[in-house]
């Protein structure tokens, strides 16, 4: 996977199989993106994405991204800054969830 998708219209569901059951990780709506990690670090996707309704996407692979940044450095930098912001927000959200889970486990251990 080495492609970034921007959602032009519609919505999608991000899902993952955990302990044999499918878990909804979140919804992706118009104006949001998919594949931010993969465009910088191509490997197996961490989740599956399924259209929840009719969807229109804009696709950008890593080669096209590199070409865009080389040809248009100022808008390219803005695009990269936007992607970094999305990744930072998602990382913070995961860190918050992990912290909350650890706090919950501590509380359960104290209770008994």
């Amino acid at each position: 996977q080495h492609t970034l998708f921007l959602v032009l219209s519609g919505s999608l569901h991000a899902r993952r199989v955990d302990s044999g059951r499918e878990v909804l990780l979140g919804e992706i709506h118009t104006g949001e993106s998919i594949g931010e990690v993969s465009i910088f670090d191509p490997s197996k996707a961490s989740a599956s994405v399924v259209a929840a309704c009719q969807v229109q996407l804009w696709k950008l692979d890593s080669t096209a991204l590199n070409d865009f940044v080389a040809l248009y450095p100022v808008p390219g930098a803005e695009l990269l800054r936007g992607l970094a912001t999305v990744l930072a927000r998602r990382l913070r959200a995961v860190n918050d969830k992990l912290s909350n889970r650890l706090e919950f486990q501590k509380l359960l251990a104290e209770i008994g």
Side-chain angles (χ1 to χ4, degrees):
Q1 182 70 23
H2 61 279
T3 306
L4 172 70
F5 295 93
L6 299 176
V7 182
L8 300 178
S9 65
S11 63
L12 304 104
H13 289 167
R15 300 175 177 173
R16 183 177 183 146
V17 176
D18 187 19
S19 302
R21 68 177 238 266
E22 195 170 76
V23 176
L24 178 65
L25 299 175
E27 295 183 11
I28 302 129
H29 300 285
T30 300
E32 296 182 312
S33 56
I34 312 159
E36 303 84 7
V37 172
S38 297
I39 200 150
F40 297 112
D41 182 26
S43 62
K44 185 178 177 192
S46 60
S48 298
V49 178
V50 179
C53 60
Q54 189 170 21
V55 176
Q56 185 178 19
L57 301 172
W58 181 70
K59 176 181 172 182
L60 181 71
D61 67 23
S62 57
T63 301
L65 174 63
N66 291 338
D67 292 346
F68 180 78
V69 171
L71 288 170
Y72 307 100
V74 174
E78 287 298 316
L79 176 60
L80 293 174
R81 195 175 355 268
L83 292 173
T85 300
V86 168
L87 290 169
R89 286 179 184 158
R90 290 187 181 169
L91 179 59
R92 281 193 183 119
V94 168
N95 285 343
D96 288 345
K97 285 181 182 178
L98 180 59
S99 177
N100 290 339
R101 181 179 288 175
L102 292 172
E103 289 299 318
F104 182 69
Q105 288 174 346
K106 276 188 199 175
L107 181 61
L108 286 178
E110 289 175 9
I111 293 173

